[in-house]
Amino acid sequence: MSLLDPSRAQRYMEIALEEAAEAALRGEVPVGAIVVDGASGEILAADGNRTEELRDATAHAEMLVLREAAKIHGGGRLLGCDLYVTLEPCAMCAAAISFARIRRLYFGAIDAKGGAVESGPRFFDQPTCHHRPETYGGIDEIRASTMLREFFQVRR
Amino acid sequence: MSLLDPSRAQRYMEIALEEAAEAALRGEVPVGAIVVDGASGEILAADGNRTEELRDATAHAEMLVLREAAKIHGGGRLLGCDLYVTLEPCAMCAAAISFARIRRLYFGAIDAKGGAVESGPRFFDQPTCHHRPETYGGIDEIRASTMLREFFQVRR
């Protein structure tokens, strides 16, 4: 299997997209994420954005799955684990992904307004970033971005 | 009172330094933080780094006090609140501070290796940052940096 097996990456992104769709049903900005054990393929955590429900500005999908997966994995560091998220991570989540030592990051749509991987501060390219996951963007990006656009069209 | 009343800022930083000292006693990297309601002066949350104890790479002092203060304040956004932290925030915490709409950020020592305010990605200066707190660095920085240096001298 190549590092980026398209069918495998898309299967996992499909699950992240389902989490994003469930977030939208809860009235949350539709972003979903999962953490996968790279060796076994087991999904350690899956969740969507819950900033409104938890009234917590830090409750992005990535933060929730990193913390949940760390509980299962038995430690703060998720060595050998991969994170799939439907939207380019922001600076908070990119730094958390780095601290957790995620092996590979797969994301869907680019977030030119708030992203921090290919946009804005490009956190993983900074000298202050001490662990850089392999990063693959644009996975199922049209579905992820369409879901976000439709969500905001209804509300704005 | 000026925006930066040195005696007031130092009194609050003193409390953050006490949290940092308690973190060191728990074997955690000594960083402490508090959130203060800017109008009443009330301390809404005070805590130190707990990444080891919670086995959670995201459990930086700033993240813990932002989440705790949000519960008390009744929402994810801490409008009119100020955050004091003994070390320059990293990108994760800087972004969380921005999302929480913290009014003023006071920090102690510069973190050239991992900071994201005056170092590295300078998150608040990025076009992808949509709320910039007023920022005052270097408050009691010698005490904060001495505490960190002594902690690492014993361990490395």
Side-chain angles (χ1 to χ4, degrees):
Chain A
M1 189 193 81
S2 74
L3 288 182
L4 178 57
D5 174 337
S7 63
R8 181 180 153 129
Q10 285 188 341
R11 280 201 308 278
Y12 283 124
M13 189 60 82
E14 177 72 34
I15 299 164
L17 282 162
E18 286 169 15
E19 292 291 339
E22 285 180 29
L25 292 175
R26 297 192 301 268
E28 304 276 358
V29 173
V31 179
I34 64 171
V35 172
V36 176
D37 183 310
S40 69
E42 184 191 356
I43 295 170
L44 300 179
D47 210 342
N49 180 25
R50 294 186 187 269
T51 53
E52 298 298 325
E53 175 191 337
L54 301 178
R55 302 183 73 76
D56 174 358
T58 73
H60 287 192
E62 300 96 310
M63 301 297 282
L64 299 177
V65 294
L66 285 173
R67 283 159 50 197
E68 184 64 26
K71 281 184 209 161
I72 294 164
H73 214 248
R77 295 189 174 180
L78 296 165
L79 300 169
C81 293
D82 305 327
L83 190 143
Y84 295 75
V85 57
T86 57
L87 185 66
E88 180 187 358
C90 73
M92 174 179 72
C93 295
I97 286 164
S98 175
F99 295 153
R101 300 288 188 271
I102 286 288
R103 181 182 66 166
R104 293 179 195 143
L105 164 66
Y106 300 86
F107 69 86
I110 285 279
D111 183 4
K113 286 187 187 168
V117 177
E118 299 194 8
S119 311
R122 300 179 67 92
F123 177 74
F124 300 131
D125 298 336
Q126 295 288 340
T128 49
C129 173
H130 307 296
H131 169 80
R132 295 164 182 78
E134 293 167 28
T135 300
Y136 305 94
I139 316 234
D140 251 346
E141 63 184 314
I142 292 170
R143 286 176 64 198
S145 59
T146 301
M147 205 184 289
L148 282 157
R149 195 172 54 248
E150 287 175 353
F151 179 84
F152 286 116
Q153 268 171 355
V154 173
R155 278 165 181 75
R156 285 179 181 170
Chain B
M1 188 193 81
S2 74
L3 288 182
L4 177 57
D5 175 337
S7 64
R8 181 180 153 130
Q10 284 187 342
R11 280 201 307 278
Y12 282 123
M13 190 58 82
E14 177 73 34
I15 299 163
L17 283 162
E18 285 167 16
E19 292 292 340
E22 285 180 30
L25 292 175
R26 296 192 301 269
E28 304 276 358
V29 173
V31 179
I34 64 171
V35 172
V36 177
D37 183 311
S40 69
E42 184 191 357
I43 295 171
L44 299 179
D47 210 342
N49 180 25
R50 293 186 188 269
T51 53
E52 298 298 326
E53 175 191 336
L54 301 178
R55 300 183 74 77
D56 174 359
T58 74
H60 286 192
E62 301 96 311
M63 301 297 282
L64 298 177
V65 295
L66 286 171
R67 282 159 52 197
E68 184 64 26
K71 282 184 207 161
I72 293 165
H73 213 248
R77 294 188 175 180
L78 296 164
L79 300 168
C81 294
D82 305 327
L83 189 143
Y84 295 74
V85 57
T86 57
L87 185 66
E88 180 187 358
C90 72
M92 174 179 72
C93 296
I97 286 165
S98 175
F99 295 152
R101 300 291 188 268
I102 286 288
R103 181 181 66 165
R104 294 179 195 142
L105 164 65
Y106 301 85
F107 70 85
I110 285 279
D111 183 4
K113 286 187 187 168
V117 176
E118 300 194 8
S119 312
R122 300 178 67 95
F123 177 73
F124 300 131
D125 298 337
Q126 295 287 339
T128 49
C129 173
H130 307 297
H131 169 81
R132 294 164 183 78
E134 294 167 27
T135 300
Y136 305 94
I139 316 228
D140 251 345
E141 62 185 315
I142 292 169
R143 287 176 64 199
S145 57
T146 301
M147 203 183 292
L148 283 157
R149 195 172 54 247
E150 287 175 352
F151 179 83
F152 285 116
Q153 267 172 356
V154 172
R155 277 164 182 77
R156 285 178 181 171

